[in-house]
Amino acid sequence: MNMQTRTPASSPADNGYGFSDRIQRQLEHAAHLCAGQGGRMTPQRRDVLGLILTATTPVGAYDLLEQLKTSGRKPAPPTVYRALDFLLEHGLIHRIERLSAFVPCTHLQHDHPHDHSHGPAETCLHSAQFLICRSCGGVTEIADAPRVLDVLKSICGKKNFTMQSASVEVEGVCEDCAPATRGQKGPAPAPN
Amino acid sequence: MNMQTRTPASSPADNGYGFSDRIQRQLEHAAHLCAGQGGRMTPQRRDVLGLILTATTPVGAYDLLEQLKTSGRKPAPPTVYRALDFLLEHGLIHRIERLSAFVPCTHLQHDHPHDHSHGPAETCLHSAQFLICRSCGGVTEIADAPRVLDVLKSICGKKNFTMQSASVEVEGVCEDCAPATRGQKGPAPAPN
DNA sequence: GAACTAATGTAATATTATTACATATCATTG
DNA sequence: CAATGATATGTAATAATATTACATTAGTTC
Ligand SMILES: [Zn+2]
Ligand SMILES: [Zn+2]
Ligand SMILES: [Zn+2]
Ligand SMILES: [Zn+2]
């Protein structure tokens, strides 16, 4: 048996994704988080999370699959979907329903390497709110979500509906892209 | 111009879905609504809407396809998806992203046959909020949505994000199903 | 190390959705 | 009415997303 307790990172043969230092720190942070929840951050899961963290826009399952193939292994869909399920369950990523694609939980992005009291598990597991830009494809996780959740909770309370998870997805044009689309046809006004 | 304004109903050969009187009234209402928007309620679209109105839970595109086959025609996927696109654009149905399935806009369900001032186009086009029951599969469109939308608008305002559409989907257990699941394992507490 | 559990590999298939192009239907107008 | 152009539908093929079932491997416990 391997005494070296080889670090549960990408295997020597395929850690060639060249994850930046910043992302490697985030991956370590994530590993600690799910360790605390009794989860194991395996190489597969780590690679998938790393790829999602690296991307600037939501990543689809088959995009991940393609990228993973460039590495040593030749994974099939179940491999990716299993890794995604794990990451979702541990609050490390979110699924954008409208895009059938995945983004990292924003709490991983902000470096607070040892602040486990503010982990995703407590703040946004099973519930998240997003702004999706149609122009650049960027997705922003809304930080001041409690207000939205409070309204939803109050509505559910009135209807005796037991909320287990909730997703809010707003589609439109982000601040950076607004100038580009201005004057062309003008984005539709907000609903209602 | 056609004076007879021949009713855009299912063609004689295939109106055998047996839509109830109530649903036929809703279909007529819908026809008026989209006529007002310059849209044509063709037999295909009418049949698809009728099937969605008839179902008690969200209906998938391929479910619709199967049901349509029992009628005279032998439609293919594009037929259904085109009808769905039309109905979505005219605010007559909504897509539940989490289920890849479709429900009627609740404004069609409440009979107000001639009140076009309160049509879907004005109240919920491009934006809707739902409670999805995991137990019975039922979906409820939230009526007092303005509060949710107001919070979202305020958030978007702060971030200079131009909202074009928004969807809110809350998953959990509805009032009717709560007794059934009580004591088994208990639904997870609400997020946050 | 045996036994158990968790994770991964593998092949096949299921489900949802779109593309591209041909045909038909409807409204307008000469 | 015939020609036209726009809208809608038919059809075949394929793309994109996701799951099932079962075999194998790796980690953990005893
Ligand atoms: Zn999050
Ligand atoms: Zn943008
Ligand atoms: Zn509606
Ligand atoms: Zn229910």
Side-chain angles (χ1 to χ4, degrees):
Chain A
M1 188 167 283
N2 198 336
M3 281 296 91
Q4 297 237 110
T5 307
R6 77 170 163 173
T7 56
S10 299
S11 67
D14 62 9
N15 60 0
Y17 291 115
F19 292 143
S20 72
D21 286 358
R22 185 175 61 87
I23 294 200
Q24 298 213 16
R25 280 197 304 278
Q26 292 168 355
L27 289 173
E28 227 167 297
H29 179 198
H32 285 146
L33 282 174
C34 55
Q37 301 170 38
R40 283 160 53 192
M41 180 61 88
T42 65
Q44 307 263 19
R45 293 163 175 173
R46 190 185 144 99
D47 288 352
V48 168
L49 180 55
L51 290 172
I52 293 174
L53 281 165
T54 301
T56 61
T57 54
V59 199
Y62 279 74
D63 283 346
L64 292 167
L65 198 50
E66 281 309 305
Q67 295 190 257
L68 289 171
K69 277 179 183 162
T70 69
S71 185
R73 286 159 295 191
K74 317 132 192 81
T79 302
V80 170
Y81 281 102
R82 283 189 286 232
L84 291 170
D85 286 346
F86 174 89
L87 298 171
L88 285 170
E89 280 163 13
H90 288 79
L92 301 171
I93 63 172
H94 297 286
R95 178 188 159 93
I96 309 294
E97 300 292 342
R98 288 183 170 217
L99 305 177
S100 296
F102 303 84
V103 293
C105 174
T106 195
H107 291 98
L108 278 183
Q109 309 269 37
H110 311 144
D111 296 288
H112 30 81
H114 296 295
D115 178 5
H116 290 193
S117 69
H118 173 222
E122 292 164 82
T123 50
C124 59
L125 184 65
H126 288 166
S127 176
Q129 297 77 33
F130 301 99
L131 304 183
I132 306 166
C133 178
R134 279 177 173 147
S135 175
C136 65
V139 169
T140 307
E141 186 170 353
I142 301 171
D144 61 353
R147 294 166 55 202
V148 180
L149 268 184
D150 285 345
V151 176
L152 291 180
K153 277 188 205 164
S154 119
I155 291 173
C156 289
K158 273 189 209 145
K159 298 197 185 298
N160 285 318
F161 187 94
T162 306
M163 172 163 47
Q164 290 175 342
S165 83
S167 55
V168 175
E169 300 183 3
V170 178
E171 222 168 324
V173 180
C174 80
E175 179 168 25
D176 294 344
C177 294
T181 55
R182 198 171 286 155
Q184 289 183 6
K185 186 183 173 246
N192 225 7
Chain B
M1 190 169 285
N2 196 338
M3 282 296 95
Q4 298 236 117
T5 308
R6 87 162 155 172
T7 56
S10 299
S11 68
D14 62 9
N15 60 359
Y17 292 115
F19 292 143
S20 73
D21 286 358
R22 185 176 61 88
I23 293 199
Q24 298 212 17
R25 279 197 304 277
Q26 290 168 357
L27 288 173
E28 227 166 296
H29 178 198
H32 286 145
L33 282 175
C34 54
Q37 301 171 38
R40 283 160 53 192
M41 180 62 90
T42 65
Q44 308 263 18
R45 294 163 175 174
R46 191 185 145 99
D47 287 352
V48 168
L49 180 55
L51 291 171
I52 293 173
L53 281 164
T54 301
T56 61
T57 54
V59 199
Y62 279 75
D63 284 346
L64 291 167
L65 198 51
E66 282 309 306
Q67 295 190 257
L68 289 170
K69 277 179 184 163
T70 70
S71 185
R73 286 158 294 191
K74 316 133 193 81
T79 302
V80 171
Y81 281 102
R82 282 190 284 231
L84 291 170
D85 286 346
F86 174 89
L87 298 171
L88 284 170
E89 279 163 14
H90 289 79
L92 302 171
I93 63 172
H94 297 288
R95 178 188 159 94
I96 309 294
E97 300 292 341
R98 287 183 170 217
L99 305 177
S100 295
F102 303 84
V103 294
C105 175
T106 196
H107 290 98
L108 278 183
Q109 309 270 36
H110 311 144
D111 296 289
H112 30 80
H114 296 293
D115 177 6
H116 289 190
S117 69
H118 173 220
E122 292 163 81
T123 50
C124 59
L125 184 64
H126 286 166
S127 176
Q129 297 78 32
F130 301 99
L131 305 182
I132 306 166
C133 177
R134 279 176 172 147
S135 176
C136 64
V139 168
T140 307
E141 187 170 353
I142 300 172
D144 60 352
R147 294 167 56 201
V148 181
L149 269 184
D150 285 345
V151 175
L152 290 180
K153 277 187 204 164
S154 118
I155 291 173
C156 289
K158 271 188 210 147
K159 298 196 185 297
N160 285 318
F161 186 95
T162 306
M163 173 164 46
Q164 290 175 341
S165 83
S167 56
V168 175
E169 301 184 4
V170 178
E171 222 169 326
V173 180
C174 80
E175 180 166 26
D176 294 344
C177 294
T181 55
R182 199 171 286 155
Q184 289 183 7
K185 185 182 174 250
N192 228 7

